[in-house]
Every structure is written in C-alpha cells, then in structure tokens.
Amino acid sequence: MRRRPLVLLATAALMLVGTPAFAAGKAAPPAGDPARATLLARATLPAYTPAPGPPTGAFSDPNNGMTPPYPSQLVLGISSMLLDSKGAFWAMPDNGFGTKDNSVDFLLRLYRFTPHWETARGGAGTIDVGRFLSLRDPDHKIPFKIVNDGTADRLLTGGDFDVESVTRTPDGSMWVGDEFGPFLLHFDSTGKLLQAPIAHPSLKSPNHPTLANGEPTTVQGSRGFEALASSPDGRFLYPAVEGRLTNDANPFRRYIYEFDAQKNQYTGRSWQYRTDGEDYRIADMQFLDANRAILIEREDDEGPKATFKRVYLIDRRKTDADGYLVKTEVADLLNLRNPAHIGSDDPAGGYGLGDPFKFPLQSVEALLPLPGNRIAVMQDNNFPDSAGRVPGKTDATEMIVIGFPKR
C-alpha cells in the first residue's frame, strides 16, 4: 500500500471541500498554467454494469472477453453528464453499441451516478448507480417510425437516435444533441419528449431518417452534435459538430452553431473552430458564462498510442485573423499532475495510473465545470471495444476531477 504525502492531505481537503454539494454555487472558470492541472479525485464503474430492463446486445459483436447478448440492460460508457444535488450526477450513455442496426434493443436513459471518490486522503474510488430517466415519446412527437413505435411508452432506443450531449436549462427541461440527424431533442425533466426533433437547416448525416436515395450528406456518419452547450440563462443553445463537414475542403474546421430556444429556431450565427489534427474531434463543450466555454478536443487513439486529449478555453467574442475562435489550453488529459498518486492502487492496474496521471481512453466525451476551479471529465468506453488501460480488457467507465491554481 503506498503512502500518500501528508502535505497533500490538507490541500485535498481544502480543494475538495463541498464535494457532496457540487451543484451549489457558480462554477468557476479554470485558471493558471495547464501544466499545473492536478488530479484531485477519481472514481470508476465496472465495464459490465447491469441495469433493469430487457436483454440487450443481441445484434452486437463480442470483444475483449464480453459476449452478447446480455440478460438485461447495461450502463455503458458516458457521453455527457449533468450536475444533480448532494454530490450526484446524471450520466447519459450514447446509442449503445455504436450503430443504428446493432443498438435497437438498447434503451436510451440517463442514470444517477454517485461517486465515492478516491482522493489524496484515500477513498473507495467507486460509483453507485441509482435510478434512471427513460427517454421516451408517449405523445407521438416524432414524425417518423421508431423501434418501439406501437407501444404505449414509446421508449427510445439506439436504433432511433445517437444521443451524445445533454444540457439542462433553468426551466428544468433537457436538450439533447443527436448524431443521426443531427437533431436537437427537447425533453422535460422526466425524459418525456416535448416536441418533434429539430433538424439543422443545412446538416444531414447518412443516418438521417428522411435521407432520400442519392441525396448528398453534409455531416459524416457519427460526426453530428457530439457537443451541446447552453447559455447560462438557457436562451441559446450551441451545438457543435464533432468532425468536418463533407462539403468542406478544410479538414481542420469544425462549426459551432447558435439555436434560439425561445424562438425555437437557429439564429444563422456560427463560429469556426480549428482543430490541431485533421481527424481530431470536438467531444464536449460547456459554457462558463455568456461568452466563455471550455471544450474537449481529442484524437481517436487509446493507451500508449494516445497523443492528444486536451481541454481548451474559448471566448465567442475572440477570433483570430482567419476567423477561427482563439483557443487557450486549460489541461492536457495525458499529463495531469498526480502527486498523491491517485489511482495507483487500482487493483485492475493499467497504463497511465501514476504521476503524471494519464487519461488515455479512446472516447473522452463528457466535461462539466464545477465550483472551486475544478472540472469533471468522464469517458465513453465504447463497450465492449475500448481497452485503453489494460490491453484486451474492456475499459471501465472512469470519472475524474481536475483542479487548477486559483487566480
């Protein structure tokens, strides 16, 4: 058993004070040198975590020791999350097993996660899964056929939408970004769809339900609204495409759009974001105030091959000479200070569990600002395919909290 440096005990107690009430207070923006971004806490959920519901995975493939079908629903890797009260979070998996065809038996939900953090003082480093919200369309708002079309609840599945991002507005309702349209989906606080899916006027993916034969697409498959943020007052939504548009000759350009939730229409405004690599993705984005946001930019590698998983700060008022948003690095998720060696005693072991701490997981997709100059990050484990920690072993779902020096 390693010994944690005593000097860190008081530091961790101060920096994590109020952890059971993350939702309280205004989230402070990250500050300081990204090289000083420090791992404060970590918790994990086993890759195979069953949940109530019918069997799933009948159309998916085995990998990394996991063999479908599975006897119940599963809590798979997380693509987006919301704060809840009393130290808990609402965590949203995506469409299930990766495609429309193999995810028709995967029910779209948000699960209530309660982490029991491992910090510099120790701790279990586990996540409890509580109740869930089922995304559903009992009022027949969706104008096209869905998997559970003839049922009363009309529970939504991964064969209907690829939900990748969620934000909550002050009225308590939730907006979800989808990749199959891409669509914006508006749900009440219980998960009931409030209106028909809202399409972007110029974006269509190969999975769009109304795509005609021979009709050109503008969004690559699985490159739709991976990120969706809202202004603090909830008036505006900002969906961002994960990858470049198919009709864009510039492979480094990504677009962030503006949607007026009050008028229920796109405003026509957009911003250009330049990635560091041709196939790098905008994986999640959250606003800190009316103008500044933080986002994850990443490549698609894992384990020792992972080279780029970073958090940037942008300000929609600031663009460079070429019209791209100016971005400032906040944290390198492959190079986090970890003087307390959090995670080093993980019995599962794996790559990157030391000082510096690495988050070398393929699909780092969930980001959330927290009070006290902290952010939470979680990943989609692409169950059962991603194995970034231990080769041949499906990744657990990992959740970390990163702290930054105060101004």
Side-chain angles (χ1 to χ4, degrees):
M1 180 68 113
R2 75 176 178 283
R3 295 180 179 178
R4 301 177 185 276
L6 293 178
V7 69
L8 292 170
L9 300 185
T11 303
L14 289 172
M15 297 189 80
L16 281 176
V17 67
T19 295
F22 271 145
K26 184 178 179 181
D33 182 353
R36 298 184 65 197
T38 302
L39 180 68
L40 299 182
R42 178 177 182 259
T44 66
L45 184 72
Y48 184 83
T49 298
T56 190
F59 306 100
S60 66
D61 296 324
N63 199 4
N64 291 321
M66 300 292 180
T67 303
Y70 309 102
S72 68
Q73 291 292 296
L74 300 178
V75 183
L76 303 187
I78 302 306
S79 286
S80 194
M81 56 181 161
L82 301 170
L83 281 171
D84 193 27
S85 60
K86 299 180 181 179
F89 299 78
W90 285 105
M92 187 180 73
D94 60 12
N95 84 311
F97 302 98
T99 71
K100 285 175 69 78
D101 292 340
N102 71 8
S103 301
V104 295
D105 57 7
F106 183 80
L107 298 177
L108 302 184
R109 296 170 171 175
L110 284 84
Y111 290 91
R112 193 172 189 268
F113 279 15
T114 303
H116 301 284
W117 300 107
E118 179 190 0
T119 70
R121 293 180 293 178
T126 59
I127 298 173
D128 287 343
V129 180
R131 64 191 181 94
F132 58 84
L133 303 177
S134 291
L135 301 183
R136 62 200 191 280
D137 179 32
D139 297 334
H140 292 256
K141 299 295 185 180
I142 299 171
F144 47 83
K145 188 175 181 180
I146 62 174
V147 172
N148 291 321
D149 204 58
T151 65
D153 290 338
R154 288 168 56 86
L155 298 177
L156 299 179
T157 74
D160 304 315
F161 299 102
D162 185 1
V163 293
E164 293 286 354
S165 45
V166 61
T167 188
R168 183 170 48 209
T169 50
D171 64 2
S173 66
M174 300 180 294
W175 288 86
V176 170
D178 154 75
E179 288 201 308
F180 285 167
F183 294 115
L184 294 178
L185 306 172
H186 192 194
F187 297 93
D188 71 8
S189 60
T190 72
K192 184 178 76 169
L193 192 66
L194 295 174
Q195 58 181 303
I198 301 169
H200 187 276
S202 65
L203 301 181
K204 263 192 178 182
S205 85
N207 290 311
H208 196 289
T210 68
L211 188 70
N213 288 334
E215 181 181 359
T217 60
T218 49
V219 176
Q220 302 176 67
S222 295
R223 295 291 185 274
F225 292 154
E226 183 75 31
L228 175 65
S230 61
S231 59
D233 62 4
R235 170 69 186 272
F236 296 102
L237 304 177
Y238 296 91
V241 290
E242 182 179 19
R244 74 173 182 90
L245 301 184
T246 59
N247 56 2
D248 191 346
N250 184 345
F252 296 91
R253 179 161 40 212
R254 311 290 179 262
Y255 282 98
I256 301 170
Y257 301 95
E258 184 178 68
F259 178 84
D260 188 327
Q262 182 174 309
K263 295 182 178 179
N264 216 44
Q265 64 184 27
Y266 283 91
T267 66
R269 299 185 71 191
S270 64
W271 289 263
Q272 300 176 77
Y273 177 91
R274 178 166 39 206
T275 57
D276 283 32
E278 291 189 9
D279 195 37
Y280 289 6
R281 298 101 186 269
I282 295 179
D284 200 8
M285 182 174 68
Q286 300 288 339
F287 268 80
L288 300 172
D289 52 38
N291 294 298
R292 296 177 307 147
I294 53 174
L295 60 80
I296 295 173
E297 181 183 333
R298 69 170 182 90
E299 29 79 317
D300 204 35
D301 291 320
E302 63 183 6
K305 293 182 179 179
T307 58
F308 198 97
K309 320 278 185 186
R310 298 184 184 177
V311 180
Y312 285 101
L313 175 71
I314 58 172
D315 187 323
R316 66 189 188 124
R317 298 165 299 186
K318 298 179 180 179
T319 56
D320 62 20
D322 296 319
Y324 291 93
L325 288 163
V326 175
K327 63 183 188 182
T328 302
E329 185 178 335
V330 169
D332 181 351
L333 299 178
L334 297 175
N335 186 28
L336 296 174
R337 294 181 68 249
N338 186 20
H341 293 270
I342 294 168
S344 296
D345 285 339
D346 189 329
Y351 174 74
L353 299 176
D355 185 16
F357 178 87
K358 301 178 186 294
F359 207 60
L361 308 171
Q362 182 179 9
S363 298
V364 184
E365 295 184 354
L367 173 71
L368 200 62
L370 302 175
N373 260 33
R374 296 170 295 165
I375 59 174
V377 177
M378 203 171 349
Q379 111 282 15
D380 175 3
N381 66 354
N382 298 310
F383 183 93
D385 298 329
S386 291
R389 286 290 184 205
V390 180
K393 182 178 180 180
T394 301
D395 283 327
T397 294
E398 297 193 24
M399 188 175 189
I400 59 173
V401 176
I402 303 166
F404 303 88
K406 293 183 179 180
R407 285 192 175 102

PDB file of all heavy atoms in Angstrom, residues 296-302 306-311 331-334 359-364:
ATOM      1  N   ILE A 296     -13.579  19.834 -24.946  1.00  0.00           N
ATOM      2  CA  ILE A 296     -12.599  18.760 -25.133  1.00  0.00           C
ATOM      3  C   ILE A 296     -12.313  18.619 -26.615  1.00  0.00           C
ATOM      4  O   ILE A 296     -13.238  18.537 -27.430  1.00  0.00           O
ATOM      5  CB  ILE A 296     -13.124  17.413 -24.597  1.00  0.00           C
ATOM      6  CG1 ILE A 296     -13.310  17.462 -23.085  1.00  0.00           C
ATOM      7  CG2 ILE A 296     -12.162  16.284 -24.961  1.00  0.00           C
ATOM      8  CD1 ILE A 296     -13.986  16.218 -22.521  1.00  0.00           C
ATOM      9  N   GLU A 297     -11.043  18.607 -26.955  1.00  0.00           N
ATOM     10  CA  GLU A 297     -10.614  18.248 -28.310  1.00  0.00           C
ATOM     11  C   GLU A 297      -9.753  16.990 -28.178  1.00  0.00           C
ATOM     12  O   GLU A 297      -8.862  16.933 -27.324  1.00  0.00           O
ATOM     13  CB  GLU A 297      -9.813  19.374 -28.951  1.00  0.00           C
ATOM     14  CG  GLU A 297      -9.351  19.061 -30.367  1.00  0.00           C
ATOM     15  CD  GLU A 297      -8.496  20.155 -30.981  1.00  0.00           C
ATOM     16  OE1 GLU A 297      -8.639  21.329 -30.593  1.00  0.00           O
ATOM     17  OE2 GLU A 297      -7.665  19.816 -31.860  1.00  0.00           O
ATOM     18  N   ARG A 298     -10.007  16.008 -29.024  1.00  0.00           N
ATOM     19  CA  ARG A 298      -9.298  14.736 -28.873  1.00  0.00           C
ATOM     20  C   ARG A 298      -9.072  14.059 -30.210  1.00  0.00           C
ATOM     21  O   ARG A 298      -9.746  14.334 -31.199  1.00  0.00           O
ATOM     22  CB  ARG A 298     -10.105  13.791 -27.975  1.00  0.00           C
ATOM     23  CG  ARG A 298     -11.399  13.303 -28.613  1.00  0.00           C
ATOM     24  CD  ARG A 298     -12.048  12.180 -27.812  1.00  0.00           C
ATOM     25  NE  ARG A 298     -13.267  11.676 -28.431  1.00  0.00           N
ATOM     26  CZ  ARG A 298     -13.314  10.682 -29.308  1.00  0.00           C
ATOM     27  NH1 ARG A 298     -12.190  10.083 -29.700  1.00  0.00           N
ATOM     28  NH2 ARG A 298     -14.459  10.269 -29.810  1.00  0.00           N
ATOM     29  N   GLU A 299      -8.095  13.114 -30.201  1.00  0.00           N
ATOM     30  CA  GLU A 299      -7.957  12.181 -31.307  1.00  0.00           C
ATOM     31  C   GLU A 299      -8.711  10.913 -30.947  1.00  0.00           C
ATOM     32  O   GLU A 299      -9.456  10.896 -29.963  1.00  0.00           O
ATOM     33  CB  GLU A 299      -6.481  11.907 -31.649  1.00  0.00           C
ATOM     34  CG  GLU A 299      -5.523  12.038 -30.483  1.00  0.00           C
ATOM     35  CD  GLU A 299      -5.519  10.841 -29.556  1.00  0.00           C
ATOM     36  OE1 GLU A 299      -6.595  10.322 -29.236  1.00  0.00           O
ATOM     37  OE2 GLU A 299      -4.429  10.453 -29.119  1.00  0.00           O
ATOM     38  N   ASP A 300      -8.505   9.841 -31.716  1.00  0.00           N
ATOM     39  CA  ASP A 300      -9.298   8.629 -31.530  1.00  0.00           C
ATOM     40  C   ASP A 300      -8.451   7.434 -31.116  1.00  0.00           C
ATOM     41  O   ASP A 300      -8.854   6.297 -31.318  1.00  0.00           O
ATOM     42  CB  ASP A 300     -10.067   8.315 -32.824  1.00  0.00           C
ATOM     43  CG  ASP A 300     -11.309   7.480 -32.574  1.00  0.00           C
ATOM     44  OD1 ASP A 300     -11.951   7.678 -31.526  1.00  0.00           O
ATOM     45  OD2 ASP A 300     -11.645   6.632 -33.425  1.00  0.00           O
ATOM     46  N   ASP A 301      -7.282   7.695 -30.522  1.00  0.00           N
ATOM     47  CA  ASP A 301      -6.410   6.602 -30.100  1.00  0.00           C
ATOM     48  C   ASP A 301      -6.548   6.351 -28.603  1.00  0.00           C
ATOM     49  O   ASP A 301      -7.157   7.149 -27.878  1.00  0.00           O
ATOM     50  CB  ASP A 301      -4.955   6.923 -30.447  1.00  0.00           C
ATOM     51  CG  ASP A 301      -4.707   6.920 -31.948  1.00  0.00           C
ATOM     52  OD1 ASP A 301      -5.256   6.037 -32.628  1.00  0.00           O
ATOM     53  OD2 ASP A 301      -3.986   7.804 -32.433  1.00  0.00           O
ATOM     54  N   GLU A 302      -5.968   5.252 -28.145  1.00  0.00           N
ATOM     55  CA  GLU A 302      -6.064   4.893 -26.742  1.00  0.00           C
ATOM     56  C   GLU A 302      -4.770   4.239 -26.274  1.00  0.00           C
ATOM     57  O   GLU A 302      -3.920   3.845 -27.086  1.00  0.00           O
ATOM     58  CB  GLU A 302      -7.234   3.936 -26.512  1.00  0.00           C
ATOM     59  CG  GLU A 302      -7.095   2.597 -27.231  1.00  0.00           C
ATOM     60  CD  GLU A 302      -8.316   1.700 -27.035  1.00  0.00           C
ATOM     61  OE1 GLU A 302      -9.304   2.149 -26.444  1.00  0.00           O
ATOM     62  OE2 GLU A 302      -8.254   0.536 -27.488  1.00  0.00           O
ATOM     63  N   ALA A 306      -2.243   6.952 -27.513  1.00  0.00           N
ATOM     64  CA  ALA A 306      -2.955   8.213 -27.346  1.00  0.00           C
ATOM     65  C   ALA A 306      -1.968   9.364 -27.236  1.00  0.00           C
ATOM     66  O   ALA A 306      -0.991   9.288 -26.492  1.00  0.00           O
ATOM     67  CB  ALA A 306      -3.843   8.154 -26.111  1.00  0.00           C
ATOM     68  N   THR A 307      -2.215  10.410 -27.989  1.00  0.00           N
ATOM     69  CA  THR A 307      -1.300  11.554 -28.006  1.00  0.00           C
ATOM     70  C   THR A 307      -1.983  12.885 -27.763  1.00  0.00           C
ATOM     71  O   THR A 307      -1.311  13.878 -27.479  1.00  0.00           O
ATOM     72  CB  THR A 307      -0.567  11.646 -29.358  1.00  0.00           C
ATOM     73  OG1 THR A 307      -1.546  11.762 -30.412  1.00  0.00           O
ATOM     74  CG2 THR A 307       0.292  10.416 -29.610  1.00  0.00           C
ATOM     75  N   PHE A 308      -3.324  12.941 -27.867  1.00  0.00           N
ATOM     76  CA  PHE A 308      -3.976  14.253 -27.819  1.00  0.00           C
ATOM     77  C   PHE A 308      -5.371  14.141 -27.203  1.00  0.00           C
ATOM     78  O   PHE A 308      -6.312  13.687 -27.848  1.00  0.00           O
ATOM     79  CB  PHE A 308      -4.071  14.840 -29.229  1.00  0.00           C
ATOM     80  CG  PHE A 308      -4.330  16.319 -29.257  1.00  0.00           C
ATOM     81  CD1 PHE A 308      -3.295  17.218 -29.402  1.00  0.00           C
ATOM     82  CD2 PHE A 308      -5.623  16.816 -29.130  1.00  0.00           C
ATOM     83  CE1 PHE A 308      -3.530  18.591 -29.422  1.00  0.00           C
ATOM     84  CE2 PHE A 308      -5.872  18.174 -29.156  1.00  0.00           C
ATOM     85  CZ  PHE A 308      -4.822  19.072 -29.296  1.00  0.00           C
ATOM     86  N   LYS A 309      -5.495  14.532 -25.948  1.00  0.00           N
ATOM     87  CA  LYS A 309      -6.777  14.651 -25.239  1.00  0.00           C
ATOM     88  C   LYS A 309      -6.664  15.919 -24.402  1.00  0.00           C
ATOM     89  O   LYS A 309      -6.059  15.896 -23.330  1.00  0.00           O
ATOM     90  CB  LYS A 309      -7.041  13.456 -24.322  1.00  0.00           C
ATOM     91  CG  LYS A 309      -6.643  12.073 -24.857  1.00  0.00           C
ATOM     92  CD  LYS A 309      -7.676  11.475 -25.764  1.00  0.00           C
ATOM     93  CE  LYS A 309      -7.250  10.042 -26.152  1.00  0.00           C
ATOM     94  NZ  LYS A 309      -8.157   9.457 -27.158  1.00  0.00           N
ATOM     95  N   ARG A 310      -7.216  17.015 -24.870  1.00  0.00           N
ATOM     96  CA  ARG A 310      -6.980  18.296 -24.206  1.00  0.00           C
ATOM     97  C   ARG A 310      -8.277  19.070 -23.977  1.00  0.00           C
ATOM     98  O   ARG A 310      -9.254  18.881 -24.689  1.00  0.00           O
ATOM     99  CB  ARG A 310      -5.992  19.148 -25.005  1.00  0.00           C
ATOM    100  CG  ARG A 310      -4.632  18.487 -25.123  1.00  0.00           C
ATOM    101  CD  ARG A 310      -3.615  19.353 -25.814  1.00  0.00           C
ATOM    102  NE  ARG A 310      -2.363  18.607 -25.983  1.00  0.00           N
ATOM    103  CZ  ARG A 310      -1.298  19.078 -26.597  1.00  0.00           C
ATOM    104  NH1 ARG A 310      -1.311  20.301 -27.122  1.00  0.00           N
ATOM    105  NH2 ARG A 310      -0.204  18.334 -26.720  1.00  0.00           N
ATOM    106  N   VAL A 311      -8.225  19.944 -22.986  1.00  0.00           N
ATOM    107  CA  VAL A 311      -9.328  20.841 -22.688  1.00  0.00           C
ATOM    108  C   VAL A 311      -8.884  22.255 -23.027  1.00  0.00           C
ATOM    109  O   VAL A 311      -7.787  22.687 -22.632  1.00  0.00           O
ATOM    110  CB  VAL A 311      -9.735  20.754 -21.203  1.00  0.00           C
ATOM    111  CG1 VAL A 311     -10.896  21.708 -20.911  1.00  0.00           C
ATOM    112  CG2 VAL A 311     -10.120  19.323 -20.830  1.00  0.00           C
ATOM    113  N   ALA A 331      -6.010  22.148 -19.956  1.00  0.00           N
ATOM    114  CA  ALA A 331      -5.459  20.928 -19.367  1.00  0.00           C
ATOM    115  C   ALA A 331      -5.100  19.939 -20.463  1.00  0.00           C
ATOM    116  O   ALA A 331      -5.816  19.813 -21.459  1.00  0.00           O
ATOM    117  CB  ALA A 331      -6.451  20.292 -18.396  1.00  0.00           C
ATOM    118  N   ASP A 332      -4.003  19.242 -20.258  1.00  0.00           N
ATOM    119  CA  ASP A 332      -3.613  18.113 -21.088  1.00  0.00           C
ATOM    120  C   ASP A 332      -3.983  16.854 -20.305  1.00  0.00           C
ATOM    121  O   ASP A 332      -3.375  16.541 -19.278  1.00  0.00           O
ATOM    122  CB  ASP A 332      -2.112  18.158 -21.371  1.00  0.00           C
ATOM    123  CG  ASP A 332      -1.636  17.013 -22.253  1.00  0.00           C
ATOM    124  OD1 ASP A 332      -2.421  16.084 -22.526  1.00  0.00           O
ATOM    125  OD2 ASP A 332      -0.457  17.044 -22.667  1.00  0.00           O
ATOM    126  N   LEU A 333      -5.005  16.139 -20.771  1.00  0.00           N
ATOM    127  CA  LEU A 333      -5.506  14.984 -20.028  1.00  0.00           C
ATOM    128  C   LEU A 333      -4.542  13.805 -20.056  1.00  0.00           C
ATOM    129  O   LEU A 333      -4.755  12.814 -19.352  1.00  0.00           O
ATOM    130  CB  LEU A 333      -6.865  14.567 -20.583  1.00  0.00           C
ATOM    131  CG  LEU A 333      -7.957  15.643 -20.492  1.00  0.00           C
ATOM    132  CD1 LEU A 333      -9.257  15.135 -21.107  1.00  0.00           C
ATOM    133  CD2 LEU A 333      -8.181  16.081 -19.054  1.00  0.00           C
ATOM    134  N   LEU A 334      -3.483  13.921 -20.835  1.00  0.00           N
ATOM    135  CA  LEU A 334      -2.447  12.894 -20.847  1.00  0.00           C
ATOM    136  C   LEU A 334      -1.233  13.299 -20.009  1.00  0.00           C
ATOM    137  O   LEU A 334      -0.206  12.626 -20.022  1.00  0.00           O
ATOM    138  CB  LEU A 334      -2.012  12.608 -22.284  1.00  0.00           C
ATOM    139  CG  LEU A 334      -3.103  12.049 -23.199  1.00  0.00           C
ATOM    140  CD1 LEU A 334      -2.585  11.917 -24.621  1.00  0.00           C
ATOM    141  CD2 LEU A 334      -3.604  10.705 -22.687  1.00  0.00           C
ATOM    142  N   PHE A 359      -5.108  10.102 -18.911  1.00  0.00           N
ATOM    143  CA  PHE A 359      -6.479   9.672 -19.204  1.00  0.00           C
ATOM    144  C   PHE A 359      -6.490   9.210 -20.659  1.00  0.00           C
ATOM    145  O   PHE A 359      -7.052   9.864 -21.534  1.00  0.00           O
ATOM    146  CB  PHE A 359      -7.442  10.844 -18.979  1.00  0.00           C
ATOM    147  CG  PHE A 359      -8.848  10.445 -18.625  1.00  0.00           C
ATOM    148  CD1 PHE A 359      -9.111   9.697 -17.495  1.00  0.00           C
ATOM    149  CD2 PHE A 359      -9.907  10.844 -19.418  1.00  0.00           C
ATOM    150  CE1 PHE A 359     -10.423   9.356 -17.152  1.00  0.00           C
ATOM    151  CE2 PHE A 359     -11.214  10.509 -19.095  1.00  0.00           C
ATOM    152  CZ  PHE A 359     -11.469   9.763 -17.956  1.00  0.00           C
ATOM    153  N   PRO A 360      -5.851   8.050 -20.949  1.00  0.00           N
ATOM    154  CA  PRO A 360      -5.557   7.640 -22.325  1.00  0.00           C
ATOM    155  C   PRO A 360      -6.683   6.812 -22.943  1.00  0.00           C
ATOM    156  O   PRO A 360      -6.433   5.849 -23.657  1.00  0.00           O
ATOM    157  CB  PRO A 360      -4.303   6.783 -22.133  1.00  0.00           C
ATOM    158  CG  PRO A 360      -4.577   6.074 -20.850  1.00  0.00           C
ATOM    159  CD  PRO A 360      -5.350   7.040 -19.986  1.00  0.00           C
ATOM    160  N   LEU A 361      -7.907   7.196 -22.639  1.00  0.00           N
ATOM    161  CA  LEU A 361      -9.066   6.425 -23.047  1.00  0.00           C
ATOM    162  C   LEU A 361      -9.586   6.967 -24.371  1.00  0.00           C
ATOM    163  O   LEU A 361      -9.540   8.172 -24.624  1.00  0.00           O
ATOM    164  CB  LEU A 361     -10.125   6.474 -21.953  1.00  0.00           C
ATOM    165  CG  LEU A 361      -9.540   6.089 -20.576  1.00  0.00           C
ATOM    166  CD1 LEU A 361     -10.534   6.344 -19.465  1.00  0.00           C
ATOM    167  CD2 LEU A 361      -9.073   4.645 -20.566  1.00  0.00           C
ATOM    168  N   GLN A 362     -10.048   6.101 -25.213  1.00  0.00           N
ATOM    169  CA  GLN A 362     -10.322   6.481 -26.597  1.00  0.00           C
ATOM    170  C   GLN A 362     -11.309   7.635 -26.723  1.00  0.00           C
ATOM    171  O   GLN A 362     -11.025   8.652 -27.338  1.00  0.00           O
ATOM    172  CB  GLN A 362     -10.855   5.274 -27.378  1.00  0.00           C
ATOM    173  CG  GLN A 362     -11.132   5.581 -28.852  1.00  0.00           C
ATOM    174  CD  GLN A 362     -11.637   4.368 -29.604  1.00  0.00           C
ATOM    175  OE1 GLN A 362     -11.946   3.337 -29.018  1.00  0.00           O
ATOM    176  NE2 GLN A 362     -11.721   4.474 -30.910  1.00  0.00           N
ATOM    177  N   SER A 363     -12.488   7.472 -26.139  1.00  0.00           N
ATOM    178  CA  SER A 363     -13.568   8.442 -26.364  1.00  0.00           C
ATOM    179  C   SER A 363     -13.819   9.258 -25.108  1.00  0.00           C
ATOM    180  O   SER A 363     -14.778   9.021 -24.370  1.00  0.00           O
ATOM    181  CB  SER A 363     -14.841   7.714 -26.805  1.00  0.00           C
ATOM    182  OG  SER A 363     -14.628   7.041 -28.031  1.00  0.00           O
ATOM    183  N   VAL A 364     -12.952  10.228 -24.868  1.00  0.00           N
ATOM    184  CA  VAL A 364     -13.134  11.152 -23.740  1.00  0.00           C
ATOM    185  C   VAL A 364     -14.171  12.173 -24.176  1.00  0.00           C
ATOM    186  O   VAL A 364     -13.890  13.055 -24.981  1.00  0.00           O
ATOM    187  CB  VAL A 364     -11.807  11.821 -23.358  1.00  0.00           C
ATOM    188  CG1 VAL A 364     -11.999  12.701 -22.138  1.00  0.00           C
ATOM    189  CG2 VAL A 364     -10.731  10.776 -23.112  1.00  0.00           C
TER     190      VAL A 364
END
